[in-house]
Amino acid sequence: MSRESRYAPIILFAYNRPRHVLRTLEALGRNEESSQSPLFVFIDGPAKEEHKTSVSQVRAIVEEFKWKGPVSIHFSKENKGLKNSVIDGCTSVFESYDRAIILEDDILVSPGFLDFMNKGLDSYKENPDVFGISGFRYANPIAQNRPFFLPLGSSWGWATWKSRWKKVWFNAPELAAKIAQKGLVQDFDFGKYPYFEMLKSQVEKGGNSWAILFYASMFLEKGIFLFPQDSLVQNIGFDGTGTNEVGGYDITTPNVVQYVEFSKVMPVVIPSIENSFKHCFQESLKVSFGAEVKMFFRIVKARLLQQ
């Protein structure tokens, strides 16, 4: 039976970066709602002998961290990889809760992150078209003064409901086949970005990404995602320490703010907003939108293919 609580539980996935997980926990703790938010931490087992020490350090930090609310820590003896860790961890939490906020150990959130996420979860829980809430906003020079929807999700600090999670089909061959059979490959490639190529890579090379499978499932269900008008999230993981990154690059998200004003908007995608983001995606592939944005998408692609 699912539990009801005022604030959604937080699910944090960690591996072998002690400095990052500490900063992530500290940032979460600066959110006022953290004292009433159950925290579930899933720490994957070491994939290599040389990772044992850093994984142990992560475990020690998580165990010693003074989280104000209830904490449940789960250690994996074996290395599952990010995809299986996320699928198993989220599925287990959704056995007891109807919703959850999910992030990885390289996501630095603003003090207003949990407020936005919980209000979004409360506002759209009865609308099955809304697959999730993002705390991250993709780069776009066009300002937005209210939250907005896109037919595309984000895995950098996000939230969803048990009912939507149950609709996700973690089967790359069948997802790719359905999209191709329906003639939807071009639509799937939001802004001409090669998402279908990433999905095919899962089929052909046995990739380890849960995010591309979530997006493909949402796409086939004609789902949408809520985004804040400014980003409440920064990814601090591109500093050469991660296992699935391009390396040597610490990305900074434009317009990261401490708080945003939440306002409930109609759960529809506004064509002008969608087209502006598609244009940014297209320009990023041409480099004309700037080297930083190009690097951002290279990193996202690398993570999706390698995780």
Side-chain angles (χ1 to χ4, degrees):
M1 180 174 247
S2 295
R3 300 176 190 172
E4 294 290 340
S5 59
R6 183 179 178 188
Y7 295 115
I10 301 165
I11 309 175
L12 173 61
F13 294 95
Y15 179 48
N16 70 334
R17 293 186 284 183
R19 182 173 64 87
H20 294 74
V21 76
L22 178 59
R23 291 184 66 190
T24 297
L25 287 168
E26 289 174 339
L28 276 168
R30 287 191 283 271
N31 283 247
E32 182 179 343
E33 299 79 7
S34 64
S35 63
Q36 300 180 60
S37 301
L39 175 65
F40 293 84
V41 185
F42 293 88
I43 303 173
D44 203 5
K48 302 176 181 178
E49 184 68 27
E50 56 264 36
H51 291 173
K52 286 185 176 180
T53 298
S54 55
V55 170
S56 296
Q57 290 172 343
V58 167
R59 292 178 176 180
I61 286 172
V62 172
E63 288 179 320
E64 294 170 8
F65 190 82
K66 304 300 182 184
W67 186 257
K68 296 176 182 178
V71 182
S72 179
I73 305 171
H74 303 265
F75 305 117
S76 177
K77 293 182 179 180
E78 60 183 21
N79 181 265
K80 295 182 176 183
L82 184 59
K83 182 178 82 169
N84 289 331
S85 292
V86 171
I87 294 172
D88 293 348
C90 288
T91 300
S92 67
V93 173
F94 282 130
E95 290 177 359
S96 301
Y97 292 88
D98 291 326
R99 55 185 179 160
I101 297 166
I102 303 108
L103 61 161
E104 295 167 29
D105 62 359
D106 55 5
I107 301 301
L108 201 64
V109 303
S110 297
F113 171 77
L114 291 181
D115 176 70
F116 182 83
M117 304 304 278
N118 278 285
K119 286 178 178 176
L121 287 167
D122 288 340
S123 297
Y124 299 101
K125 61 183 178 182
E126 302 299 335
N127 192 307
D129 293 334
V130 181
F131 259 63
I133 317 294
S134 174
F136 174 78
R137 178 190 189 268
Y138 291 107
N140 188 331
I142 300 176
Q144 302 295 332
N145 57 13
R146 305 179 71 188
F148 58 92
F149 285 93
L150 289 176
L152 180 72
S154 170
S155 61
W156 288 6
W158 62 288
T160 192
W161 301 265
K162 176 181 180 178
S163 59
R164 278 54 146 200
W165 183 256
K166 290 172 70 175
K167 293 181 180 179
V168 180
W169 202 3
F170 293 107
N171 186 311
E174 295 188 15
L175 286 168
K178 275 184 173 289
I179 291 171
Q181 288 166 6
K182 291 176 179 287
L184 297 173
V185 172
Q186 289 187 351
D187 293 332
F188 185 66
D189 286 344
F190 185 88
K192 297 184 179 180
Y193 198 76
Y195 285 110
F196 192 72
E197 179 185 322
M198 298 181 202
L199 183 59
K200 284 202 307 179
S201 178
Q202 292 277 304
V203 178
E204 298 167 0
K205 301 178 183 179
N208 194 28
S209 170
W210 64 271
I212 192 67
L213 306 180
F214 188 102
Y215 168 47
S217 299
M218 182 182 83
F219 173 82
L220 288 169
E221 292 284 340
K222 299 180 180 179
I224 55 179
F225 234 75
L226 181 73
F227 288 82
Q229 53 269 51
D230 288 299
S231 189
L232 292 162
V233 164
Q234 180 180 357
N235 192 309
I236 60 170
F238 302 109
D239 57 357
T241 62
T243 57
N244 298 326
E245 59 173 282
V246 173
Y249 188 80
D250 188 6
I251 192 166
T252 54
T253 306
N255 300 322
V256 175
V257 299
Q258 298 298 293
Y259 298 91
V260 297
E261 182 178 350
F262 182 88
S263 56
K264 187 174 182 179
V265 296
M266 289 292 293
V268 295
V269 175
I270 298 174
S272 60
I273 295 177
E274 179 183 11
N275 289 335
S276 74
F277 278 93
K278 282 185 175 180
H279 176 72
C280 288
F281 275 50
Q282 291 171 12
E283 290 299 300
S284 76
L285 296 175
K286 297 184 214 175
V287 191
S288 59
F289 188 61
E292 181 171 296
V293 179
K294 180 189 175 188
M295 177 63 78
F296 165 73
F297 284 108
R298 284 178 59 198
I299 290 168
V300 171
K301 181 176 180 180
R303 294 191 73 189
L304 286 171
L305 291 176
Q306 296 173 16
Q307 284 175 355

